Amino acid sequence: IWPNIVSEMVNINIETIEPIEIEVQLTDLYGNRLQFPQKIMVSGREVVSYDVSTYAAGVYLISIKSKNGIISKKIIITQ
């Protein structure tokens, strides 16, 4: 996930061996869910970008969920 300190677009590099459905979720530190895009991926490597420019400055969590589990990373949104 880059950049970590972001004001407009956040990028997520995802690598898979087989096609897999994922859910990318953005939450604030209070647990409020802000974004629920679904994407079906093909095998290989893909970069997914999301616009976060409409969100208030602060610390957020990006969670990537699949049938294999959940990965969460912290990002900081600035204005």
Side-chain angles (χ1 to χ4, degrees), residues 3-32:
N4 186 316
I5 299 176
V6 61
S7 60
E8 293 179 8
M9 298 294 289
V10 64
N11 304 296
I12 304 169
N13 183 35
I14 301 171
E15 293 185 40
T16 65
I17 297 170
E18 61 185 31
I20 190 168
E21 181 176 287
I22 63 165
E23 176 184 330
V24 179
Q25 187 177 78
L26 180 68
T27 58
D28 62 20
L29 291 183
Y30 299 106
N32 298 315

Side-chain angles (χ1 to χ4, degrees), residues 31-75:
N32 298 315
R33 297 177 184 152
L34 306 172
Q35 207 170 42
F36 300 94
Q38 290 270 340
K39 184 169 183 74
I40 296 177
M41 294 188 49
V42 295
S43 295
R45 185 176 184 176
E46 187 168 343
V47 175
V48 182
S49 299
Y50 294 102
D51 182 3
V52 295
S53 63
T54 59
Y55 298 109
V59 178
Y60 294 82
L61 293 175
I62 292 183
S63 299
I64 302 166
K65 298 180 183 181
S66 74
K67 66 179 182 180
N68 299 326
I70 301 173
I71 298 172
S72 296
K73 299 288 183 181
K74 177 177 69 171
I75 63 166

